[in-house]
Amino acid sequence: MSLSVIFNKSVLVGVVCLAAISASAYVIWGTRSSEPVPERVTGGEVKRVISGDYIKIEPDGRVKYAGINVPSAEDPLGAKTMELNRKLVDGKKIRMRFDETEKDKEGRWLAYVFVDGEMVNKRLVAEGLAYVRLKAGERRYAQELLAAQAEAREAGLGLWEKPVRSTEPRYPGDRKHGAFHRPACADVANTRPGNEVVFRNKQEAFDAGFAPCGHCRP
């Protein structure tokens, strides 16, 4: 057998072995399963009320109420919001419905929470203890929530006890985050192109489902 034939056979064997290794690698990497998609949550039992719009349930963990924004713990109305939320849901079985965005950046479920057929998110707004805040992906019940807010404002409840007064010539808003600001607020510069909106007064912002910025507090 000539040297050239031996060389060609060696090359052929090498190519076959390389192909086999490549095929094996393809099988291992190509069939690697992706992370499972979490199942849609439909309900659970409330084990702890953390704030006016934040609870823990079993079996699925932490839940943040979608479409609304409640007063901070430092606000005089914060304690009332917490008290009502506890009264409505603590220790009870709830049903949850979801919007386009099912979880926030902290990994909490974003949900419209129902107890005995009543939407808790809407009840807090109707009592004047929460603003409507229609962030991107949280607008499923926009009309219901805005109607409840208008009624609470008309009745002068909670957050609406004092008339809405505009002290700035305009109020820049961010459609993605559903918030409006004072013109000098540092957060205005963080609004991405296409998400900007400007309101002539605070009333326009509230009617559109925007809540006051927590930093500049317009």
Side-chain angles (χ1 to χ4, degrees), residues 63-144:
V63 180
K64 187 80 163 55
Y65 296 173
I68 67 172
N69 190 47
V70 301
S72 65
E74 295 77 23
D75 190 293
L77 287 176
K80 290 186 177 181
T81 308
M82 175 78 162
E83 181 182 352
L84 178 57
N85 191 32
R86 182 177 285 116
K87 179 181 178 181
L88 292 172
V89 305
D90 197 17
K92 297 181 181 179
K93 291 184 177 181
I94 63 171
R95 301 291 291 177
M96 297 184 293
R97 299 188 70 176
F98 297 90
D99 216 319
E100 293 177 18
T101 303
E102 291 196 357
K103 283 191 174 184
D104 65 11
K105 61 183 180 181
E106 296 179 31
R108 300 176 296 188
W109 293 106
L110 288 170
Y112 303 96
V113 175
F114 292 80
V115 176
D116 297 328
E118 179 182 34
M119 189 201 304
V120 178
N121 316 48
K122 180 180 176 181
R123 175 68 180 277
L124 294 174
V125 171
E127 296 287 343
L129 297 176
Y131 291 112
V132 176
R133 186 172 183 177
L134 303 178
K135 298 180 183 180
E138 297 180 42
R139 295 168 181 157
R140 180 173 184 175
Y141 290 98
Q143 296 305 315
E144 286 187 44

Coordinates of all heavy atoms in Angstrom, one line a residue, residues 63-144:
V63 N -47.3 39.3 45.9 CA -48.3 39.9 44.9 C -48.4 41.4 45.1 O -48.6 41.9 46.2 CB -49.7 39.3 45.1 CG1 -50.6 39.9 44.0 CG2 -49.7 37.8 44.9
K64 N -48.2 42.1 44.0 CA -48.3 43.6 44.0 C -49.6 43.9 43.2 O -49.8 43.4 42.2 CB -47.1 44.2 43.4 CG -47.0 45.7 43.5 CD -46.6 46.2 44.8 CE -46.1 47.7 44.8 NZ -47.1 48.6 44.3
Y65 N -50.4 44.8 43.8 CA -51.6 45.2 43.1 C -51.3 46.0 41.8 O -50.6 47.0 41.9 CB -52.5 46.0 44.0 CG -53.0 45.2 45.2 CD1 -53.8 45.9 46.2 CD2 -52.8 43.9 45.4 CE1 -54.2 45.2 47.3 CE2 -53.2 43.2 46.5 CZ -53.9 43.9 47.5 OH -54.4 43.2 48.6
A66 N -51.9 45.6 40.7 CA -51.6 46.2 39.4 C -52.6 47.4 39.3 O -53.7 47.5 39.8 CB -51.9 45.3 38.3
G67 N -52.1 48.4 38.5 CA -52.9 49.5 38.1 C -53.2 50.6 39.1 O -53.9 51.6 38.8
I68 N -52.6 50.5 40.3 CA -52.8 51.5 41.3 C -51.5 51.9 42.0 O -50.5 51.2 41.9 CB -53.8 51.1 42.4 CG1 -53.2 49.9 43.2 CG2 -55.1 50.7 41.7 CD1 -54.1 49.6 44.4
N69 N -51.5 53.0 42.8 CA -50.4 53.5 43.5 C -50.9 54.0 44.9 O -51.7 54.9 44.9 CB -49.6 54.6 42.8 CG -48.3 54.9 43.4 OD1 -47.5 54.0 43.8 ND2 -48.0 56.2 43.6
V70 N -50.5 53.4 46.0 CA -51.0 53.8 47.3 C -50.1 54.8 48.0 O -48.9 54.9 47.7 CB -51.2 52.5 48.2 CG1 -52.1 51.6 47.5 CG2 -49.9 51.9 48.5
P71 N -50.5 55.5 49.0 CA -49.7 56.4 49.7 C -48.6 55.7 50.5 O -48.7 54.5 50.8 CB -50.7 57.1 50.7 CG -52.0 56.9 50.2 CD -52.0 55.6 49.4
S72 N -47.5 56.3 50.6 CA -46.3 55.7 51.3 C -46.7 55.5 52.8 O -47.6 56.1 53.3 CB -45.1 56.6 51.2 OG -45.3 57.8 51.8
A73 N -45.8 54.8 53.5 CA -46.0 54.5 54.9 C -45.9 55.8 55.7 O -46.5 55.9 56.8 CB -45.0 53.5 55.4
E74 N -45.1 56.8 55.2 CA -45.0 58.0 55.9 C -46.2 59.0 55.8 O -46.4 59.9 56.6 CB -43.7 58.8 55.4 CG -42.4 58.0 55.7 CD -42.2 56.9 54.7 OE1 -42.8 56.9 53.6 OE2 -41.4 56.0 55.1
D75 N -47.0 58.7 54.8 CA -48.2 59.5 54.5 C -49.2 59.2 55.6 O -49.4 58.0 55.9 CB -48.7 59.3 53.1 CG -49.8 60.3 52.7 OD1 -50.9 60.2 53.3 OD2 -49.5 61.0 51.8
P76 N -50.0 60.2 56.1 CA -51.0 59.9 57.1 C -52.1 59.0 56.6 O -52.7 58.2 57.4 CB -51.6 61.3 57.3 CG -50.5 62.3 57.0 CD -49.8 61.7 55.9
L77 N -52.3 58.9 55.2 CA -53.3 58.0 54.7 C -52.7 56.6 54.5 O -53.4 55.6 54.2 CB -53.8 58.5 53.4 CG -54.8 59.7 53.4 CD1 -55.2 60.1 52.0 CD2 -56.0 59.3 54.2
G78 N -51.4 56.5 54.6 CA -50.8 55.2 54.4 C -51.3 54.1 55.4 O -51.5 53.0 55.0
A79 N -51.4 54.5 56.6 CA -51.9 53.6 57.7 C -53.4 53.2 57.4 O -53.7 52.0 57.6 CB -51.8 54.2 59.0
K80 N -54.2 54.1 56.9 CA -55.6 53.8 56.6 C -55.7 52.8 55.4 O -56.5 51.9 55.4 CB -56.3 55.1 56.3 CG -56.6 56.0 57.5 CD -57.5 57.1 57.1 CE -57.8 58.0 58.3 NZ -58.7 59.2 58.0
T81 N -54.8 53.0 54.4 CA -54.8 52.1 53.3 C -54.4 50.7 53.7 O -55.0 49.7 53.3 CB -53.8 52.6 52.2 OG1 -54.1 54.0 51.9 CG2 -53.9 51.8 51.0
M82 N -53.4 50.6 54.6 CA -52.9 49.3 55.1 C -54.1 48.7 55.9 O -54.3 47.5 55.7 CB -51.7 49.5 56.0 CG -51.2 48.3 56.7 SD -50.3 47.2 55.6 CE -49.4 46.2 56.8
E83 N -54.7 49.4 56.7 CA -55.8 48.9 57.5 C -56.9 48.3 56.7 O -57.5 47.2 56.9 CB -56.4 50.0 58.4 CG -57.5 49.6 59.3 CD -58.0 50.7 60.2 OE1 -57.4 51.8 60.2 OE2 -59.0 50.5 60.9
L84 N -57.3 49.1 55.6 CA -58.4 48.6 54.8 C -58.0 47.4 54.0 O -58.7 46.4 53.8 CB -58.8 49.7 53.8 CG -59.9 49.3 52.8 CD1 -61.2 48.8 53.5 CD2 -60.3 50.5 51.9
N85 N -56.7 47.4 53.5 CA -56.2 46.2 52.7 C -56.3 45.0 53.6 O -56.7 43.9 53.2 CB -54.8 46.5 52.2 CG -54.4 45.4 51.2 OD1 -55.2 44.9 50.5 ND2 -53.1 45.2 51.2
R86 N -55.8 45.1 54.9 CA -55.8 44.0 55.8 C -57.2 43.5 56.0 O -57.5 42.3 56.1 CB -55.1 44.4 57.1 CG -55.0 43.2 58.1 CD -54.3 43.6 59.4 NE -52.9 43.7 59.1 CZ -52.2 44.8 59.3 NH1 -52.7 46.0 59.6 NH2 -50.9 44.8 59.1
K87 N -58.1 44.4 56.2 CA -59.5 44.0 56.4 C -60.1 43.3 55.3 O -60.9 42.3 55.4 CB -60.3 45.3 56.7 CG -61.8 45.0 56.9 CD -62.6 46.4 57.2 CE -64.1 46.1 57.4 NZ -64.8 47.4 57.6
L88 N -59.7 43.7 54.1 CA -60.3 43.1 52.9 C -59.7 41.7 52.5 O -60.4 40.8 52.0 CB -60.1 44.0 51.7 CG -60.9 45.3 51.7 CD1 -60.4 46.2 50.5 CD2 -62.4 45.1 51.6
V89 N -58.4 41.5 52.8 CA -57.8 40.3 52.3 C -57.1 39.4 53.3 O -56.9 38.2 53.0 CB -56.7 40.6 51.2 CG1 -57.4 41.4 50.1 CG2 -55.5 41.3 51.8
D90 N -56.7 39.9 54.5 CA -55.9 39.1 55.4 C -56.6 37.7 55.8 O -57.7 37.7 56.2 CB -55.6 39.9 56.6 CG -54.5 39.3 57.4 OD1 -53.7 38.5 56.9 OD2 -54.3 39.7 58.6
G91 N -55.8 36.6 55.5 CA -56.3 35.3 55.8 C -57.4 34.8 54.9 O -57.9 33.7 55.1
K92 N -57.7 35.5 53.8 CA -58.7 35.1 52.9 C -58.2 34.5 51.7 O -57.0 34.7 51.3 CB -59.6 36.3 52.6 CG -60.3 36.9 53.8 CD -61.2 38.0 53.4 CE -61.9 38.6 54.7 NZ -62.8 39.8 54.3
K93 N -59.1 33.7 51.0 CA -58.7 33.2 49.7 C -59.0 34.2 48.6 O -60.1 34.8 48.6 CB -59.4 31.8 49.4 CG -59.0 30.7 50.3 CD -59.7 29.4 50.0 CE -59.1 28.3 50.9 NZ -59.7 27.0 50.6
I94 N -58.1 34.4 47.7 CA -58.3 35.4 46.7 C -58.2 34.8 45.3 O -57.6 33.7 45.1 CB -57.2 36.5 46.8 CG1 -55.8 36.0 46.6 CG2 -57.3 37.2 48.2 CD1 -54.7 37.0 46.5
R95 N -58.7 35.5 44.3 CA -58.6 35.2 42.9 C -57.8 36.3 42.3 O -58.0 37.5 42.7 CB -59.9 35.0 42.2 CG -60.8 33.9 42.9 CD -60.3 32.5 42.6 NE -60.4 32.1 41.2 CZ -59.9 31.0 40.8 NH1 -59.3 30.1 41.6 NH2 -60.0 30.6 39.5
M96 N -57.0 36.0 41.3 CA -56.2 37.0 40.7 C -56.3 36.9 39.2 O -56.4 35.9 38.6 CB -54.7 36.8 41.1 CG -54.4 37.0 42.5 SD -52.7 36.9 42.9 CE -52.4 35.1 42.6
R97 N -56.3 38.1 38.6 CA -56.4 38.2 37.1 C -55.2 39.1 36.7 O -54.8 40.0 37.4 CB -57.7 38.8 36.6 CG -58.9 38.0 37.0 CD -60.1 38.5 36.4 NE -60.1 38.2 34.9 CZ -61.2 38.5 34.1 NH1 -62.3 39.0 34.6 NH2 -61.1 38.2 32.8
F98 N -54.6 38.8 35.5 CA -53.4 39.4 35.1 C -53.6 40.2 33.8 O -54.5 40.1 33.1 CB -52.3 38.3 34.9 CG -52.0 37.6 36.2 CD1 -52.7 36.4 36.5 CD2 -51.0 38.1 37.0 CE1 -52.4 35.8 37.7 CE2 -50.7 37.4 38.2 CZ -51.4 36.3 38.5
D99 N -52.6 41.1 33.6 CA -52.5 41.9 32.5 C -51.4 41.5 31.6 O -50.9 40.4 31.7 CB -52.3 43.4 32.9 CG -53.1 44.4 32.1 OD1 -53.1 44.2 30.8 OD2 -53.7 45.3 32.6
E100 N -50.9 42.3 30.7 CA -49.8 42.0 29.8 C -48.5 41.7 30.6 O -47.8 40.8 30.3 CB -49.6 43.1 28.8 CG -50.7 43.3 27.8 CD -50.4 44.5 26.9 OE1 -49.2 44.9 26.8 OE2 -51.4 45.0 26.3
T101 N -48.3 42.5 31.6 CA -47.1 42.4 32.5 C -47.5 41.6 33.7 O -48.3 42.1 34.5 CB -46.5 43.7 32.9 OG1 -46.2 44.5 31.7 CG2 -45.3 43.5 33.7
E102 N -47.0 40.4 33.9 CA -47.4 39.5 35.0 C -46.5 39.6 36.2 O -46.9 39.3 37.3 CB -47.5 38.0 34.5 CG -48.6 37.8 33.6 CD -48.9 36.3 33.4 OE1 -48.2 35.5 34.0 OE2 -49.8 35.9 32.7
K103 N -45.3 40.1 36.0 CA -44.4 40.3 37.1 C -43.6 41.6 37.0 O -43.4 42.1 35.9 CB -43.4 39.1 37.2 CG -43.9 37.8 37.8 CD -42.8 36.8 38.1 CE -43.4 35.6 38.7 NZ -42.3 34.6 39.1
D104 N -43.3 42.2 38.1 CA -42.5 43.4 38.1 C -41.0 43.1 38.2 O -40.6 41.9 38.2 CB -42.9 44.4 39.2 CG -42.6 43.8 40.6 OD1 -41.9 42.8 40.8 OD2 -43.1 44.4 41.6
K105 N -40.2 44.1 38.2 CA -38.7 43.9 38.1 C -38.2 43.2 39.4 O -37.1 42.7 39.4 CB -38.0 45.2 37.9 CG -38.2 46.2 38.9 CD -37.5 47.5 38.6 CE -37.7 48.6 39.6 NZ -37.0 49.9 39.2
E106 N -39.0 43.2 40.4 CA -38.6 42.5 41.7 C -39.1 41.1 41.8 O -38.9 40.4 42.8 CB -39.1 43.3 42.9 CG -38.5 44.7 43.0 CD -39.0 45.5 44.2 OE1 -39.4 44.9 45.2 OE2 -39.1 46.7 44.1
G107 N -39.7 40.7 40.7 CA -40.2 39.3 40.7 C -41.6 39.1 41.3 O -42.0 37.9 41.5
R108 N -42.3 40.1 41.7 CA -43.6 40.0 42.3 C -44.7 39.9 41.3 O -44.6 40.5 40.2 CB -43.9 41.2 43.2 CG -42.9 41.4 44.3 CD -43.1 42.7 45.1 NE -43.0 43.9 44.3 CZ -43.0 45.1 44.8 NH1 -43.2 45.3 46.1 NH2 -42.8 46.1 44.0
W109 N -45.7 39.1 41.6 CA -46.8 39.0 40.7 C -47.5 40.3 40.6 O -47.7 40.9 41.7 CB -47.8 37.9 41.1 CG -47.3 36.5 41.0 CD1 -46.9 35.7 42.0 CD2 -47.1 35.8 39.8 NE1 -46.4 34.5 41.5 CE2 -46.5 34.5 40.2 CE3 -47.3 36.0 38.4 CZ2 -46.2 33.5 39.2 CZ3 -47.0 35.0 37.5 CH2 -46.5 33.8 37.9
L110 N -47.9 40.8 39.5 CA -48.7 42.0 39.3 C -50.1 41.5 39.0 O -50.4 40.9 38.0 CB -48.2 42.9 38.2 CG -46.9 43.6 38.5 CD1 -46.3 44.3 37.2 CD2 -47.1 44.7 39.6
A111 N -51.1 41.8 39.9 CA -52.4 41.2 39.7 C -53.5 42.2 40.2 O -53.3 43.1 40.9 CB -52.5 39.9 40.6
Y112 N -54.7 41.9 39.6 CA -55.9 42.5 40.0 C -56.5 41.4 41.0 O -56.8 40.3 40.6 CB -56.9 42.8 38.9 CG -56.2 43.7 37.8 CD1 -55.6 43.2 36.7 CD2 -56.2 45.1 38.0 CE1 -54.9 44.0 35.8 CE2 -55.6 45.9 37.1 CZ -54.9 45.3 36.0 OH -54.3 46.2 35.1
V113 N -56.6 41.8 42.2 CA -57.0 40.8 43.3 C -58.5 40.9 43.6 O -59.0 42.0 43.8 CB -56.2 41.1 44.6 CG1 -56.6 40.2 45.7 CG2 -54.7 40.9 44.3
F114 N -59.1 39.8 43.6 CA -60.6 39.7 43.9 C -60.9 38.9 45.1 O -60.3 37.8 45.3 CB -61.3 39.1 42.7 CG -61.3 39.9 41.5 CD1 -60.2 40.0 40.6 CD2 -62.4 40.7 41.1 CE1 -60.2 40.7 39.5 CE2 -62.4 41.5 40.0 CZ -61.3 41.5 39.1
V115 N -61.8 39.4 46.0 CA -62.3 38.6 47.2 C -63.8 38.7 47.1 O -64.4 39.7 47.1 CB -61.8 39.3 48.5 CG1 -62.4 38.5 49.7 CG2 -60.3 39.3 48.6
D116 N -64.4 37.5 47.0 CA -65.8 37.4 46.9 C -66.4 38.2 45.8 O -67.4 38.9 45.9 CB -66.5 37.8 48.2 CG -66.1 36.9 49.4 OD1 -65.9 35.7 49.1 OD2 -66.0 37.4 50.5
G117 N -65.7 38.2 44.7 CA -66.1 38.9 43.5 C -65.8 40.4 43.4 O -66.0 41.1 42.4
E118 N -65.3 41.0 44.5 CA -64.9 42.4 44.6 C -63.5 42.6 44.2 O -62.6 42.0 44.8 CB -65.3 43.0 45.9 CG -64.9 44.5 46.0 CD -65.2 45.1 47.4 OE1 -65.0 44.4 48.4 OE2 -65.6 46.3 47.4
M119 N -63.2 43.6 43.3 CA -61.8 43.9 43.0 C -61.2 44.8 44.1 O -61.7 45.9 44.3 CB -61.6 44.6 41.7 CG -60.2 44.7 41.2 SD -59.9 46.0 40.0 CE -61.0 45.5 38.7
V120 N -60.2 44.3 44.8 CA -59.6 45.1 45.9 C -58.9 46.3 45.4 O -59.0 47.4 46.0 CB -58.6 44.2 46.7 CG1 -57.9 45.0 47.8 CG2 -59.3 43.0 47.3
N121 N -58.2 46.2 44.3 CA -57.6 47.4 43.7 C -58.6 48.5 43.5 O -58.3 49.7 43.9 CB -57.0 47.0 42.3 CG -56.2 45.7 42.2 OD1 -56.7 44.7 42.7 ND2 -55.1 45.7 41.6
K122 N -59.7 48.2 42.9 CA -60.7 49.2 42.7 C -61.3 49.7 44.0 O -61.6 50.9 44.1 CB -61.9 48.6 41.8 CG -63.0 49.5 41.5 CD -64.0 48.8 40.6 CE -65.2 49.7 40.4 NZ -66.3 49.0 39.6
R123 N -61.5 48.9 45.0 CA -62.0 49.3 46.3 C -61.1 50.4 46.9 O -61.6 51.4 47.5 CB -62.2 48.1 47.2 CG -62.7 48.4 48.6 CD -64.1 49.0 48.6 NE -64.5 49.3 50.0 CZ -65.0 48.4 50.9 NH1 -65.1 47.1 50.5 NH2 -65.3 48.7 52.1
L124 N -59.8 50.1 46.9 CA -58.9 51.1 47.4 C -59.0 52.5 46.7 O -58.9 53.5 47.4 CB -57.5 50.6 47.4 CG -57.2 49.3 48.2 CD1 -55.8 48.8 47.9 CD2 -57.3 49.6 49.7
V125 N -59.1 52.4 45.4 CA -59.3 53.7 44.6 C -60.6 54.3 45.0 O -60.7 55.5 45.2 CB -59.2 53.4 43.1 CG1 -59.6 54.6 42.3 CG2 -57.8 52.9 42.7
A126 N -61.7 53.5 45.1 CA -63.0 54.1 45.4 C -63.1 54.7 46.7 O -63.9 55.7 47.0 CB -64.1 53.0 45.3
E127 N -62.3 54.3 47.7 CA -62.3 54.9 49.0 C -61.3 56.1 49.1 O -61.1 56.7 50.2 CB -61.8 53.8 50.0 CG -62.7 52.6 50.2 CD -64.0 53.0 50.9 OE1 -64.1 54.0 51.6 OE2 -65.0 52.2 50.8
G128 N -60.7 56.4 48.0 CA -59.8 57.6 48.0 C -58.4 57.2 48.6 O -57.7 58.1 49.1
L129 N -58.1 56.0 48.7 CA -56.9 55.5 49.4 C -55.8 55.0 48.4 O -54.8 54.5 48.8 CB -57.2 54.4 50.4 CG -58.1 54.9 51.5 CD1 -58.5 53.7 52.4 CD2 -57.5 56.0 52.3
A130 N -56.0 55.2 47.1 CA -55.0 54.9 46.1 C -55.3 55.7 44.8 O -56.4 56.0 44.5 CB -55.1 53.4 45.8
Y131 N -54.2 56.0 44.2 CA -54.3 56.7 42.8 C -54.4 55.6 41.8 O -53.8 54.5 41.9 CB -53.1 57.5 42.6 CG -52.9 58.8 43.4 CD1 -51.9 58.9 44.3 CD2 -53.8 59.8 43.2 CE1 -51.7 60.0 45.1 CE2 -53.6 61.0 44.0 CZ -52.6 61.1 44.9 OH -52.4 62.2 45.7
V132 N -55.0 55.9 40.7 CA -54.9 55.0 39.5 C -53.5 55.3 38.9 O -53.2 56.5 38.7 CB -56.0 55.3 38.5 CG1 -55.8 54.5 37.2 CG2 -57.4 55.0 39.1
R133 N -52.8 54.2 38.5 CA -51.5 54.4 37.9 C -51.4 53.4 36.8 O -51.1 52.2 37.0 CB -50.4 54.2 38.9 CG -49.0 54.5 38.2 CD -47.9 54.6 39.3 NE -46.6 55.0 38.7 CZ -45.5 55.1 39.3 NH1 -45.5 54.9 40.6 NH2 -44.4 55.4 38.7
L134 N -51.7 53.8 35.6 CA -51.7 52.9 34.4 C -50.4 52.8 33.7 O -50.1 53.5 32.7 CB -52.8 53.4 33.4 CG -54.2 53.6 34.0 CD1 -55.2 54.1 33.0 CD2 -54.7 52.2 34.6
K135 N -49.5 52.0 34.3 CA -48.2 51.7 33.7 C -48.4 50.9 32.4 O -49.5 50.3 32.2 CB -47.3 51.0 34.6 CG -47.0 51.7 35.9 CD -46.1 50.8 36.7 CE -45.7 51.4 38.1 NZ -44.8 50.6 38.9
A136 N -47.4 50.9 31.6 CA -47.4 50.0 30.4 C -47.6 48.6 30.8 O -47.0 48.1 31.7 CB -46.1 50.1 29.6
G137 N -48.6 47.9 30.2 CA -48.9 46.5 30.6 C -49.8 46.3 31.8 O -50.0 45.2 32.2
E138 N -50.3 47.4 32.3 CA -51.2 47.4 33.4 C -52.5 48.2 33.2 O -52.8 49.1 34.0 CB -50.5 47.9 34.7 CG -49.4 47.0 35.2 CD -48.7 47.6 36.4 OE1 -49.4 48.0 37.4 OE2 -47.5 47.6 36.5
R139 N -53.1 48.0 32.1 CA -54.3 48.9 31.7 C -55.6 48.1 31.4 O -56.5 48.6 30.8 CB -53.8 49.7 30.5 CG -52.7 50.6 30.8 CD -52.1 51.2 29.6 NE -51.0 52.1 29.9 CZ -50.0 52.4 29.1 NH1 -49.9 52.0 27.9 NH2 -49.0 53.2 29.5
R140 N -55.6 46.9 31.8 CA -56.8 46.0 31.5 C -58.1 46.6 32.1 O -59.1 46.6 31.5 CB -56.5 44.6 32.1 CG -57.7 43.7 31.8 CD -57.3 42.3 32.2 NE -58.3 41.3 31.9 CZ -58.2 40.0 32.1 NH1 -57.1 39.5 32.5 NH2 -59.2 39.2 31.7
Y141 N -58.0 47.1 33.3 CA -59.2 47.7 34.0 C -59.2 49.2 34.1 O -59.7 49.8 35.0 CB -59.4 47.0 35.4 CG -59.7 45.6 35.4 CD1 -58.7 44.6 35.5 CD2 -61.0 45.1 35.2 CE1 -59.0 43.3 35.5 CE2 -61.3 43.8 35.1 CZ -60.3 42.9 35.3 OH -60.6 41.5 35.3
A142 N -58.6 49.8 33.1 CA -58.4 51.3 33.1 C -59.7 52.0 33.3 O -59.8 52.9 34.2 CB -57.8 51.7 31.8
Q143 N -60.8 51.7 32.6 CA -62.0 52.4 32.6 C -62.7 52.3 34.0 O -63.2 53.2 34.6 CB -63.0 51.9 31.5 CG -62.5 52.2 30.1 CD -62.1 53.7 29.9 OE1 -62.9 54.6 30.3 NE2 -61.0 54.0 29.3
E144 N -62.7 51.0 34.5 CA -63.3 50.8 35.9 C -62.5 51.6 36.9 O -63.2 52.2 37.8 CB -63.3 49.3 36.2 CG -64.3 48.5 35.4 CD -64.4 47.1 35.9 OE1 -64.3 46.9 37.2 OE2 -64.4 46.2 35.1

